[in-house]
Amino acid sequence: MTTAYFLILALLTLTWFLVGRQRASSLAGTDPSALHSLPSYHGLFLAALVFLPMLLIFAVGAPLAERYVEATALKGFDPATVSEGLGRSAILRDIQSVLAGNYSGTAAPELTAGASAYAQASNFAHWSLLIAGVVAALLAAISGFRLIGPEFRARNSVERLVKYVLLACSAIAVLTTVGIVFSVLFETIHFFSKVSPIDFLFGLQWSPQTAIRADQVGSSGAFGIVPLVTGTLLITVIAIAVAGPLGLFAAIYMAEYASPRVRGITKPILEILAGVPTVVLGFFAALTVAPFIRGWGEMVGLNVASESALAAGLVMGMMIIPFVSSLSDDVINAVPQALRDGSYAMGATKSETIKKVVLPAALPGIVSAFMLAISRAVGETMIVVMAAGLAANLTFNPLEAVTTFTVQIKTILVGDQEFDSAKTLSAFALGFVLFFFTLVLNFIALQIVKRYREQYD
């Protein structure tokens, strides 16, 4: 039914666009200047009056219709069973299986009755939603059709509608961000009601699970994030130490030295790295890089763990090279050619021009590229899981196994567990700290950009 709704929406929108344009053209006759706006703007005005009400009714009505259908189908079942989240979901799945004809076994009478009620309520809700949307669209279109005339400012109305739509999209993006922040913040506050913030921020042991025996480490849970901070920073530093020079030098070559033909081939190949799934890079780190590092360490007498921060950092550095190189390349190309020509006119060589003129002028953009790459490295999960392990070791040795914020968040939220426990809530606290860390990085990047930004004519 959803497909039919949107097909009718598209048909009505196109129809009223043609009606509005034809109506305006007939009023103009042979003198287009008789109209304030072009006929196409009149058509767009009517099309918007059809499209927006139908879309709004669907966005609001579809969830309400689904709730109505589910409530109608579940009326014949035990309220105690329906009130449970898993029980409600299981009953609805069985009802849908009965309707689809793939229910295994003999359906109980109440299940058959529920399936019948579900089908009837679903049919009624869908037709009601479709009729309401069509009626609202036609009423709006007829009201708009009466406005069409030589003096009607259709262009202004369309531009005003576009502005409101763009404002609504911006508001949705902002409100989504605010909602994410507050949802994480509320759960973090709940977590801090169970665990001291001092112990969480400055504790040296991370063991969120509750031990079986009292003599085990963290028998009541140890939630100190210092080992996670050191692991995250260690892997990030290794990654940026790999990606920073390689990405920046690659950008300088492509922007200043490479011919257009070489650049057209090299840049897309380099950017393919950004499209490689991180799980593939994780396999590469676990099966190729980590054994190589361990073998190399044994040759020189070093004790290298099978899962090490160095292996994860190296492969993560490979992953974020395109973020540094592509953005830096675009920024370097945006430096005005007049600056280069002026440097050459003063007798500077190409390398001197790059060091003394181009790179200082492109510094804000390069810093932004590095900050984006660092944020990407901090938020990576799969490579660390597969190459660095899950051990929360407080160490700065890159040859040992470490873990990061994102890995622990993934580990904590996997499996069946009580949502209200300190272990589960600690994932939200980790997410909030990680969000704050990336926010600080972005703030630093903005301050650097503001301080060193140059304006060019």
Side-chain angles (χ1 to χ4, degrees), residues 98-113:
V98 171
L99 289 175
N102 53 11
Y103 183 78
S104 57
T106 304
E110 63 269 15
L111 189 60
T112 304

Side-chain angles (χ1 to χ4, degrees), residues 271-395:
E271 290 179 348
I272 288 176
L273 277 175
V276 176
T278 56
V279 67
V280 175
L281 293 174
F283 275 121
F284 176 69
L287 301 179
T288 304
V289 178
F292 174 79
I293 294 175
R294 186 177 183 183
W296 170 82
E298 291 176 350
M299 288 177 58
V300 298
L302 296 176
N303 184 17
V304 183
S306 58
E307 296 175 325
S308 63
L310 183 58
L314 290 176
V315 177
M316 192 180 296
M318 294 171 52
M319 177 192 70
I320 63 176
I321 284 176
F323 292 90
V324 178
S325 64
S326 182
L327 294 176
S328 299
D329 176 42
D330 295 336
V331 171
I332 292 172
N333 279 317
V335 175
Q337 183 63 32
L339 295 180
R340 298 179 177 87
D341 295 339
S343 177
Y344 296 147
M346 296 296 292
T349 63
K350 192 176 188 66
S351 61
E352 290 172 340
T353 300
I354 293 172
K355 289 185 294 183
K356 301 295 184 179
V357 177
V358 175
L359 291 182
L363 181 61
I366 294 174
V367 171
S368 298
F370 272 71
M371 290 300 177
L372 178 62
I374 292 173
S375 299
R376 181 66 181 87
V378 169
E380 176 53 36
T381 303
M382 288 306 302
I383 294 176
V384 183
V385 169
M386 303 176 71
L390 303 175
N393 295 323
L394 179 55
T395 178

